């Protein structure tokens, strides 16, 4: 009996359990990607034009990205408390929107609707922060794969919720908003006590690589399955029973990863000697905080105290002289003879947000992310209108597809960027430059209006956009440290609403409404009768609707050009950080 209790305790505190539950919670943290499906319903119900919908989209992006409060509260409150706040915000924000859209609550002005969308979507930042902070601390040696998989499931959330909505078989499109308000809230509240740091750095096993391979395999299988299901549902008129079976299989795939912590905890009790050696080696490689501070202090004093001619000496002699000086300073510091002062951190060490903000590399990451992810978010936010303008009735299919490609982009971005830094000690941002080239091609295909453009464009833009959110958090933690990772990450996510505000809120919506006005004018041009004039007057009060590839032609060309600029910024960052990555990862190659 005591052995069983011990195993249950080990299971509850297993880092792989936390990781799997974080994956499930992250599946609920991507509801912002459903805005392309929600916006046509809101537009019709509230009689909005495209510019007003774009403003709601900006409010959604702000809510999804302004995570300073979530980051701050996660340092004060237990992580379950932060998750509870996020669940309450999600329920109140989207629940109130559902009441308004269905006529159960009185209509509110646009600014109030923006606040509701902001509050509802801002709940995601608590889910993101809690999942990332707990899992990055539990898997400090695998941050690339962990971030990629977790952010990937956030991107897949739109497709999962859309499939669940298909089971509801509701003719009322507003019921999707209700599901967004209630579903994630219930899941997060049920699982919130499991998300926490559990000393994962002490749980290293030789099987960790195999466990990650299982997770990656499930990710690929899940994406392929969802893609197949969405295409079949789009092309074939399926019965409700078949759709229900498809959804049950989806849940089975989502639950398979839980077998990893179950197997680890209940299959064997003790570590094999090789795992003990692996743990000891890991602990040796991680200096304590005291040792870190001592090295930092001594390095700072050496820079101040060493003679100017030391740098002119041959390498071996210089190292010998500096080592002697370090030894003297260490002894003097221990005796209190040296006044300690802390130097500014170098790239690859722990930065505060204030220290990072004065670094050019930090702003290169920010603006590269702004141009790349901002252009991708413009497509995601306007996907409903883009597909409708080209004559597609079922906009949910493309929203689900871009969620799947977004998911694969995040998982693939984390995997391949980790390969680049581990095997070649080369900057992670070279993978981001490749993703931005892919996005530039996708935007160009949208602009050209070629056959199948919606399918190919969503594939390329979704993959490229998703890769950004696996690469950037990992790169930021490498260049600026893990100590203030929450604040650094939440500042970088501001690039999303900033890009959306300019690209979607100003450029895309203005061009769309201008083309819609042109088409409206052409339809009514030459009509002079009283009846036709009256109908024109009534038409102008209705939401403007644009038809054809021209609606987003200029917007897509602009987005493609901005992605090219982002590629240039990413490559500048690669050039500037080559030595940093060679220092961080080069020693593991030797």
């Amino acid at each position: 009996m005591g052995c069983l209790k011990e195993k249950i305790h080990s299971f509850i505190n297993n880092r792989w359990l936390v990781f799997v539950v974080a994956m499930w919670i992250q599946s609920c943290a991507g509801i912002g990607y459903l805005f392309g499906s929600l916006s046509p319903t809101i537009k019709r119900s509230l009689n909005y034009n495209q510019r007003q919908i774009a403003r709601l989209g900006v409010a959604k992006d702000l809510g999804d990205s302004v995570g300073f409060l979530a980051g701050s509260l996660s340092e004060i409150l237990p992580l379950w408390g932060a998750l509870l706040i996020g669940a309450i915000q999600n329920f109140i924000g989207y629940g109130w929107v559902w009441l308004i859209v269905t006529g159960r609550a009185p209509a509110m002005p646009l600014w109030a609707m923006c606040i509701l969308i902001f509050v509802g979507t801002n709940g995601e930042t608590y889910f993101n922060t809690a999942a990332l902070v707990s899992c990055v601390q539990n898997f400090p040696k695998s941050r690339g794969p962990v971030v990629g998989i977790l952010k990937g499931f956030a991107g897949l959330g739109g497709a999962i919720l859309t499939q669940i909505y298909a089971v509801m078989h509701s003719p009322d499109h507003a019921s999707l908003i209700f599901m967004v308000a209630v579903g994630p809230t219930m899941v997060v509240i049920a699982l919130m006590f499991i998300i926490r740091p559990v000393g994962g750095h002490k749980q290293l096993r030789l099987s960790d690589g195999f466990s990650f391979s299982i997770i990656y395999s499930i990710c690929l299988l899940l994406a392929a399955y969802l893609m197949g299901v969405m295409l079949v549902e789009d092309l074939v008129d399926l019965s409700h029973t078949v759709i229900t079976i498809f959804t049950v299989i989806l849940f089975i795939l989502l639950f398979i990863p839980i077998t990893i912590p179950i197997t680890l905890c209940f299959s064997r009790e003790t570590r094999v000697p090789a795992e003990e050696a692996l743990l000891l080696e890991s602990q040796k490689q991680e200096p304590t905080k005291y040792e870190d501070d001592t090295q930092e202090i001594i390095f700072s004093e050496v820079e101040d105290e060493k003679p100017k001619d030391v740098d002119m000496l041959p390498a071996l002699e210089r190292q010998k002289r500096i080592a002697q000086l370090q030894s003297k300073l260490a002894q003097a510091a221990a005796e209190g003879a040296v006044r300690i002062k802390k130097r500014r951190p170098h790239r690859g060490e722990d930065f505060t947000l204030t220290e990072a903000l004065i670094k050019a590399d930090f702003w290169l990451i920010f603006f590269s992310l702004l141009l790349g992810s901002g252009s991708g978010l413009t497509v995601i936010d306007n996907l409903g209108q883009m597909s409708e303008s080209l004559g597609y009735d079922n906009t949910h299919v493309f929203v689900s597809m871009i969620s799947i490609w977004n998911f694969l982009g995040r998982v693939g971005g984390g995997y391949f960027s980790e390969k680049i830094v581990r095997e070649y000690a080369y900057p992670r941002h070279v993978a981001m430059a490749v993703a931005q080239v892919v996005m530039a091609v996708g935007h160009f295909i949208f602009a050209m209006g070629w056959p199948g453009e919606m399918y190919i464009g969503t594939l390329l833009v979704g993959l490229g956009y998703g890769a950004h959110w696996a690469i950037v958090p990992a790169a930021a933690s490498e260049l600026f440290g893990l100590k203030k990772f929450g604040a650094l990450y939440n500042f970088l996510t501001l690039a999303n609403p900033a890009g959306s505000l300019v690209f979607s809120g100003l450029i895309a919506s203005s061009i769309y409404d201008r083309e819609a006005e042109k088409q409206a004018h052409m339809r009514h041009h030459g009509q002079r009768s009283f009846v036709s004039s009256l109908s024109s007057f009534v038409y102008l009060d209705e939401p403007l609707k644009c038809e054809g590839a021209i609606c987003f032609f200029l917007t897509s060309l602009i987005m493609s050009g901005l992605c090219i600029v982002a590629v240039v910024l990413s490559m500048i960052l690669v050039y500037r950080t080559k030595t940093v990555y060679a220092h961080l990862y080069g020693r593991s190659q030797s």
Side-chain angles (χ1 to χ4, degrees):
M1 189 69 180
C3 181
L4 179 61
K5 285 184 178 180
E6 184 179 337
K7 288 186 176 182
I8 292 174
H9 181 268
S10 173
F11 175 72
I12 293 173
N13 292 284
N14 188 277
R15 64 175 183 168
W16 283 98
L17 174 66
V18 177
F19 184 41
V20 172
V21 171
M23 287 161 51
W24 294 341
I25 287 180
Q26 284 294 90
S27 298
C28 302
I31 55 179
Y33 298 110
L34 277 173
F35 187 76
S37 290
L38 303 180
S39 58
T41 302
I42 297 173
K43 186 176 182 179
R44 283 190 296 268
S45 300
L46 302 181
N47 204 32
Y48 283 169
N49 60 32
Q50 187 61 25
R51 192 167 299 177
Q52 291 170 313
I53 287 295
R55 287 172 183 168
L56 289 181
V58 172
K60 181 268 297 183
D61 296 332
L62 280 169
D64 194 22
S65 303
V66 178
F68 288 120
L69 185 58
S72 301
L73 288 178
S74 66
E75 295 181 1
I76 300 171
L77 300 174
L79 291 181
W80 67 262
L83 287 169
L84 179 61
I85 293 173
I88 292 172
Q89 284 193 203
N90 177 81
F91 180 73
I92 292 175
Y94 280 105
W96 205 331
V97 170
W98 174 75
L99 292 174
I100 292 170
V101 168
T102 56
R104 291 175 169 85
M108 300 178 72
L110 180 63
W111 63 266
M113 291 295 294
C114 288
I115 291 176
L116 289 178
I117 294 289
F118 173 89
V119 170
T121 314
N122 190 246
E124 293 181 25
T125 63
Y126 294 87
F127 307 160
N128 266 306
T129 301
L132 287 175
V133 168
S134 61
C135 290
V136 167
Q137 291 181 13
N138 288 332
F139 293 86
K141 296 294 185 182
S142 306
R143 64 187 77 175
V146 164
V147 171
I149 291 168
L150 288 179
K151 296 298 290 182
F153 271 89
L156 196 64
I160 294 173
L161 291 173
T162 299
Q163 182 61 28
I164 297 172
Y165 171 70
V167 174
M168 294 169 60
H169 200 62
S170 173
D172 178 17
H173 293 294
S175 58
L176 179 60
I177 304 175
F178 176 79
M179 190 186 71
V180 165
V182 175
T185 302
M186 294 173 61
V187 171
V188 171
I189 290 177
L191 301 174
M192 61 187 182
F193 292 108
I194 299 176
I195 300 297
R196 67 209 189 282
V198 290
H201 61 286
K202 298 178 181 178
Q203 300 182 24
L204 293 176
R205 288 184 181 270
L206 292 175
S207 61
D208 284 345
F210 179 69
S211 298
F212 274 116
S213 298
I214 293 175
I215 296 291
Y216 275 124
S217 300
I218 293 170
C219 289
L220 294 175
L221 181 60
L222 191 60
Y225 176 75
L226 276 171
M227 177 58 65
V229 168
M230 295 300 169
L231 290 176
V232 170
E233 289 178 352
D234 184 40
L235 299 173
V236 181
D237 188 14
L238 300 175
S239 67
H240 185 257
T241 303
V242 174
I243 294 175
T244 303
I245 293 172
F246 282 161
T247 308
V248 170
I249 296 173
L250 169 63
F251 277 103
I252 291 173
L253 290 175
L254 288 172
F255 277 102
I256 287 176
I258 196 65
T259 58
I260 295 174
I262 291 175
T263 303
L264 290 174
C265 294
F266 291 94
S267 64
R268 58 183 179 181
E269 296 183 39
T270 59
R271 297 178 184 274
V272 297
E275 287 176 341
E276 295 287 358
L278 181 65
L279 180 59
L280 289 172
E281 182 182 350
S282 172
Q283 291 173 341
K284 287 177 182 178
Q285 289 176 353
E286 295 178 4
T288 64
K289 184 180 185 300
Y290 173 79
E291 289 170 341
D292 257 352
D293 290 344
T294 303
Q295 290 171 1
E296 187 174 88
I297 292 162
I298 292 174
F299 187 89
S300 174
E301 297 299 334
V302 166
E303 290 296 306
D304 293 338
E305 300 293 334
K306 72 179 181 182
K308 294 181 180 179
D309 58 350
V310 167
D311 291 331
M312 306 299 293
L313 296 173
L316 290 176
E317 181 64 23
R318 182 172 67 250
Q319 291 174 5
K320 182 180 177 182
R321 294 280 294 275
I322 290 177
Q324 292 173 348
L325 182 56
Q326 282 181 328
S327 178
K328 292 179 181 178
L329 286 171
Q331 184 178 356
E335 295 171 356
V338 175
R339 186 179 180 182
I340 294 172
K341 67 177 181 179
K342 195 173 181 179
R343 67 177 175 85
R344 288 184 177 178
H346 296 290
R347 291 173 302 184
E349 299 173 351
D350 287 319
F351 280 71
T352 64
L353 178 59
T354 305
E355 292 167 337
L357 287 174
I358 62 174
K359 291 294 183 180
D361 293 337
F362 188 80
W363 289 105
L364 283 171
I365 294 175
F366 181 86
F367 283 110
S368 176
L369 181 62
L370 185 150
L371 296 176
S373 71
S375 67
L377 201 56
T378 300
V379 171
I380 292 171
D381 287 348
N382 292 279
L383 204 55
Q385 284 71 39
M386 292 176 75
S387 55
E388 284 183 348
S389 69
L390 294 172
Y392 293 96
D393 295 327
N394 190 2
T395 62
H396 300 307
V397 172
F398 297 107
V399 173
S400 299
M401 286 179 64
I402 205 166
S403 292
I404 293 167
W405 302 132
N406 184 11
F407 167 72
L408 288 177
R410 295 180 185 216
V411 174
Y415 177 80
F416 288 110
S417 67
E418 192 75 8
K419 283 283 186 182
I420 290 170
V421 298
R422 294 288 178 184
E423 295 184 6
Y424 302 101
Y426 206 70
R428 198 179 290 269
H429 259 71
V430 73
M432 189 150 142
V434 173
Q436 288 160 344
V437 170
V438 170
M439 288 185 72
V441 175
H443 287 301
F444 184 76
I445 289 174
F446 275 131
M448 292 299 99
W450 292 327
E453 65 164 290
M454 286 300 298
Y455 294 95
I456 301 173
T458 52
L459 164 65
L460 298 179
V461 172
L463 288 173
Y465 174 81
H468 282 70
W469 293 106
I471 297 168
V472 166
S477 69
E478 287 163 339
L479 294 175
F480 303 104
L482 281 172
K483 187 179 289 185
K484 300 294 181 181
F485 173 71
L488 295 168
Y489 168 73
N490 282 313
F491 184 89
L492 288 171
T493 57
L494 290 176
N496 239 17
S500 175
L501 175 63
V502 177
F503 305 151
S504 182
L506 298 178
I507 296 175
S509 63
S510 299
I511 294 174
Y512 179 94
D513 283 345
R514 187 186 67 186
E515 294 296 336
E517 288 171 2
K518 284 182 183 179
Q519 293 182 6
H521 179 73
M522 290 176 64
R523 278 193 293 266
H524 297 278
H525 183 66
Q527 299 179 0
R528 293 291 184 267
S529 68
F530 174 77
V531 175
S532 62
S533 299
L534 181 61
S535 65
S536 292
F537 177 77
V538 173
Y539 178 83
L540 289 174
D541 284 340
E542 296 178 354
L544 290 170
K545 187 174 181 180
C546 181
E547 297 177 352
I550 190 65
C551 304
F552 289 92
F553 168 74
L554 183 57
T555 298
S556 297
L557 283 183
I558 293 172
M559 298 301 108
S560 183
L562 292 174
C563 284
I564 297 300
V565 176
V567 172
V568 174
L569 295 180
S570 294
M571 292 310 297
I572 293 174
L573 183 65
V574 168
Y575 175 77
R576 288 173 55 89
T577 58
K578 282 192 294 186
T579 55
V580 180
Y581 277 88
H583 175 71
L584 288 174
Y585 294 100
R587 285 175 295 184
S588 62
Q589 309 297 315
S590 57

